[in-house]
Amino acid sequence: MNMQFENWEGLIWLIGAAIIGLLVQAIFYRVALMITRRTKTPFDDSLLRQCRGPSRLIIPLLFLQFAVPLLSFPETPVIYLKYLIVVAFISSLGWLMINLTHVAEEIILSRFHIDIQDNLRARGMQTQLRIFKKIVVVIVVVLTVAVILMTFDKIRYLGTSILASAGIAGIVIGLAAQKSIGTILAGIQIAITQPIRIDDVVIVENEWGRVEEINLTYVVIRIWDLRRLILPITYFIEKPFQNWTRITADILGTVFI
């Protein structure tokens, strides 16, 4: 009977800690919202909007972490509970880091508009930013998975292997995924050298259109009749194509009389 009472008391501690964490998060969000409404810069609004979701997990998980040592549960359930909280906390931090890349993207893109007449620099900046953002997101996801694996003693070596950048395993994986790695490197090369940019007018495969999307592995061309031509990003490294707005945003036209 005493054991059951202690178990119920532990559950009450957990539920209370989670509720307190949610209340603290709600109060913090309300205060931050009042502050951001008094400012004129869009930076804090974007930051608050992107951080709201992850903070709903991070703050309650911190309170749960402090409440776990007060539990009177058997040792095995407590260990599993600690692992669950740690995994959820690390995942929430990864989610927060990805959202912060969205904040940086919004801030930078707000200074470079492509809806102006001379938008060459803006298109170049948007192209680089979108490709490097995708690279950062991939790195954050890989690091998050690696750190989660390293929290478990029995599979810690998997996390270490993910973080390691050399060795036989890395060579084997590199040879097996040589084409995929080459595609990603082509995306990075395009972001740096910029043979094409967002909204560039190009002629590829005898089709006239504008560059609508540039991803790590493929490029989407919006054809003049609203069709979409999807090409691997290596196409623009290996094959010739026409770029009518490589130097300037102006386009020449011909009229036959």
Side-chain angles (χ1 to χ4, degrees):
M1 187 68 180
N2 188 27
M3 190 67 174
Q4 292 180 353
F5 177 75
E6 291 179 351
N7 290 340
W8 279 105
E9 185 181 0
L11 288 175
I12 292 174
W13 272 107
L14 285 178
I15 296 173
I19 293 175
I20 293 174
L22 290 174
L23 290 175
V24 170
Q25 188 274 338
I27 294 172
F28 175 79
Y29 177 77
R30 291 293 180 184
V31 173
L33 185 62
M34 292 174 59
I35 296 174
T36 55
R37 285 177 177 175
R38 297 179 180 178
T39 60
K40 297 181 180 180
T41 59
F43 168 74
D44 47 7
D45 296 328
S46 176
L47 182 64
L48 184 63
R49 184 176 64 255
Q50 295 293 345
C51 293
R52 184 180 183 183
S55 65
R56 287 178 175 176
L57 290 178
I58 293 175
I59 296 178
L61 287 172
L62 285 175
F63 280 85
L64 286 176
Q65 185 68 30
F66 290 122
V68 168
L70 302 176
L71 299 179
S72 56
F73 290 164
E75 183 178 358
T76 302
V78 172
I79 292 176
Y80 286 126
L81 182 60
K82 287 182 178 179
Y83 278 133
L84 181 62
I85 293 175
V86 170
V87 169
F89 184 74
I90 295 173
S91 302
S92 302
L93 289 179
W95 181 16
L96 177 63
M97 294 299 296
I98 292 175
N99 283 9
L100 290 179
T101 63
H102 297 322
V103 176
E105 181 186 28
E106 290 179 11
I107 294 172
I108 296 176
L109 291 183
S110 64
R111 301 179 180 179
F112 297 92
H113 302 281
I114 62 174
D115 54 351
I116 58 177
Q117 184 175 2
D118 188 8
N119 58 1
L120 188 64
R121 184 185 177 194
R123 290 189 287 109
M125 180 60 67
Q126 289 200 14
T127 301
Q128 289 181 333
L129 182 62
R130 291 179 181 180
I131 292 179
F132 285 127
K133 174 195 167 185
K134 291 179 174 62
I135 296 173
V136 171
V137 170
V138 171
I139 293 174
V140 170
V141 171
V142 171
L143 290 178
T144 301
V145 173
V147 173
I148 289 175
L149 293 177
M150 292 181 66
T151 59
F152 299 95
D153 295 333
K154 294 183 179 180
I155 57 175
R156 180 174 296 175
Y157 68 94
L158 292 176
T160 306
S161 299
I162 293 177
L163 292 176
S165 59
I168 298 178
I171 296 175
V172 173
I173 295 174
L175 292 175
Q178 184 176 4
K179 189 173 183 179
S180 300
I181 294 175
T183 302
I184 295 175
L185 291 177
I188 298 175
Q189 182 178 350
I190 284 180
I192 296 175
T193 59
Q194 294 189 351
I196 56 172
R197 304 179 183 88
I198 297 294
D199 206 42
D200 262 349
V201 176
V202 295
I203 297 179
V204 290
E205 298 294 318
N206 295 323
E207 296 283 1
W208 182 95
R210 291 181 179 272
V211 179
E212 186 175 50
E213 295 181 28
I214 300 179
N215 297 288
L216 280 179
T217 56
Y218 66 92
V219 177
V220 179
I221 307 297
R222 186 180 72 252
I223 308 302
W224 63 271
D225 56 2
L226 301 184
R227 288 178 296 148
R228 264 58 176 182
L229 178 63
I230 301 175
L231 298 169
I233 200 164
T234 53
Y235 180 95
F236 298 91
I237 301 295
E238 300 172 353
K239 296 183 179 182
F241 63 93
Q242 297 182 40
N243 189 339
W244 286 28
T245 53
R246 178 71 177 86
I247 305 299
T248 177
D250 299 332
I251 300 178
L252 297 178
T254 57
V255 178
F256 295 96
I257 301 177

